[in-house]
């Protein structure tokens, strides 16, 4: 396992925090590519794109090589593997915690099952409409009920 100090780990996660840089890393999975090939799909100026490459290079995630006027980039997997190893430690912890929670909830459900829902009944029929009064104006009536009705049963634990 590669040991990374906190500054290196911080720079790796900082580099991975941007979508443009993650896309560059994904493009480099296919193999070595020139800077212009990597920059082509991104809607930004070349100087702005070069700043992204610099962040990736500072984090150790890519390596640049110059051959004449052509600059090529390759993926350097070691820092990514170290970050993955660091995350795996916490994955084990949280998997254990979530498994423990699942066991607790299953056991609690066995001891205190939820009551079955009540039998469904037909909704009440609305009152018949009243004809307008002799004045031609509708009679004052209460507004129709709003909302969806009474709350259903809940399983309190």
């Amino acid at each position: 396992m590669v040991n990374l100090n906190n500054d290196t780990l911080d720079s790796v996660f900082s580099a991975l925090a941007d979508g443009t840089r993650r896309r560059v890393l994904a493009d480099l999975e296919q193999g070595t590519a020139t800077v212009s090939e990597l920059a082509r799909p991104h809607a930004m100026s070349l100087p702005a794109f070069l700043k992204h490459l610099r962040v990736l290079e500072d984090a150790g995630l890519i390596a640049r090589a110059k051959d004449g006027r052509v600059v090529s980039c390759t993926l350097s997997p070691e820092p990514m593997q170290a970050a993955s190893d660091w995350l795996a430690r916490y994955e084990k912890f949280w998997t254990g915690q979530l498994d423990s929670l699942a066991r607790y909830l299953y056991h609690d459900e066995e001891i205190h099952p939820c009551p079955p829902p009540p039998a469904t009944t037909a909704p009440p029929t609305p009152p018949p409409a009243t004809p307008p009064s002799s004045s031609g104006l509708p009679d004052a009536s209460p507004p129709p009920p709003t909302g969806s009705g009474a709350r259903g049963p809940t399983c309190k634990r």
Side-chain angles (χ1 to χ4, degrees):
M1 178 171 125
V2 175
N3 280 333
L4 290 179
N5 62 33
N6 285 337
D7 291 338
T8 306
L9 199 56
D10 289 347
S11 66
V12 169
F13 284 118
S14 179
L16 295 174
D18 184 81
T20 299
R21 295 190 284 266
R22 289 191 305 270
R23 172 111 186 252
V24 168
L25 294 175
D27 291 343
L28 287 174
E29 287 177 0
Q30 311 304 319
T32 302
T34 65
V35 170
S36 59
E37 291 170 343
L38 292 171
R40 192 171 297 125
H42 302 280
M44 64 180 71
S45 67
L46 187 58
F49 184 75
L50 289 173
K51 288 180 182 179
H52 285 288
L53 290 183
R54 183 69 185 171
V55 171
L56 290 169
E57 188 176 26
D58 289 346
L61 294 168
I62 66 168
R64 287 199 263 189
K66 190 171 184 180
D67 184 25
R69 291 175 47 184
V70 178
V71 178
S72 298
C73 298
T74 56
L75 194 59
S76 298
E78 294 84 14
M80 185 72 81
Q81 182 60 50
S84 176
D85 293 344
W86 184 84
L87 287 171
R89 291 190 328 216
Y90 293 96
E91 179 185 16
K92 288 178 187 175
F93 169 77
W94 284 111
T95 300
Q97 294 296 311
L98 292 173
D99 287 346
S100 177
L101 176 63
R103 284 190 303 274
Y104 170 78
L105 293 175
Y106 178 77
H107 179 71
D108 191 53
E109 180 67 26
E110 291 293 316
I111 293 173
H112 309 319
C114 286
T120 58
T121 59
T125 57
T130 56
S133 66
S134 60
S135 66
L137 298 173
D139 288 335
S141 60
T146 59
S148 60
R151 244 180 108 172
T154 60
C155 185
K156 295 183 181 178
R157 299 183 187 198

